[in-house]
Amino acid sequence: MPSFVARCCGSLAVVGAAVGLLSGCFTDRQNEGQRLYAQRCASCHGDQGQGLRRLIPPLAGADYLKTHRTQLPCLIQHGQQGPMVVNGIEYNQVMPAQHDLTDAQITNLLNYVQTHWGNRLEPYTISEVTTLLVPCHGIDGK
């Protein structure tokens, strides 16, 4: 009996180690959108996407995300200047460009915003983001 337990526990340890290694492989990518948001967006748009009064538009519950879906990848990559209306309120601040983000990073960032703070919008695919970046000359194919 003890040898059976040792074999089973040894097998479980191997399986557990393999699962641990696999989860480590995916952890960074899985939370990449959240991490990018915290690093690049939260200082202006807020930790909960609430925006900043009438200066910076909210992302939480923002109608702009739905009505400008096809423009959002270019907006992230090239920034925004000039007025925009979000939830009936006009905002006119500069949003900095994020030229160094890959198509995959833009996809992960957008998907984080699309699915948090009450937003229940359709997620993007990398293929869709790559296609949407073509008009703003921003594709990297990654």
Side-chain angles (χ1 to χ4, degrees):
M1 184 79 144
S3 63
F4 173 75
V5 172
R7 280 186 298 190
C8 287
C9 291
S11 297
L12 289 176
V14 170
V15 169
V19 169
L21 288 173
L22 285 176
S23 67
C25 293
F26 295 107
T27 302
D28 290 340
R29 275 294 213 208
Q30 180 180 2
N31 298 317
E32 184 176 54
Q34 181 179 11
R35 190 174 60 253
L36 287 168
Y37 182 83
Q39 293 170 347
R40 296 173 180 249
C41 311
S43 62
C44 292
H45 290 285
D47 291 337
Q48 298 300 310
Q50 73 273 16
L52 180 60
R53 298 190 184 129
R54 292 185 175 257
L55 296 175
I56 308 292
L59 299 175
D63 60 356
Y64 195 91
L65 298 175
K66 187 173 185 178
T67 60
H68 292 83
R69 178 183 174 82
T70 60
Q71 298 153 345
L72 294 177
C74 287
L75 186 143
I76 288 173
Q77 188 168 69
H78 294 288
Q80 166 75 24
Q81 291 188 23
M84 67 173 9
V85 176
V86 178
N87 297 340
I89 299 171
E90 184 174 303
Y91 296 88
N92 194 2
Q93 295 294 320
V94 174
M95 181 177 130
Q98 304 295 318
H99 292 293
D100 60 328
L101 294 180
T102 65
D103 297 6
Q105 289 173 317
I106 291 172
T107 303
N108 288 332
L109 177 56
L110 283 170
N111 286 340
Y112 177 73
V113 171
Q114 296 281 85
T115 60
H116 284 78
W117 319 301
N119 296 331
R120 301 285 180 253
L121 302 168
E122 181 182 346
Y124 289 84
T125 64
I126 294 173
S127 175
E128 178 185 13
V129 167
T130 298
T131 300
L132 292 173
L133 286 169
V134 170
C136 60
H137 309 291
I139 61 168
D140 70 2
K142 297 179 193 171

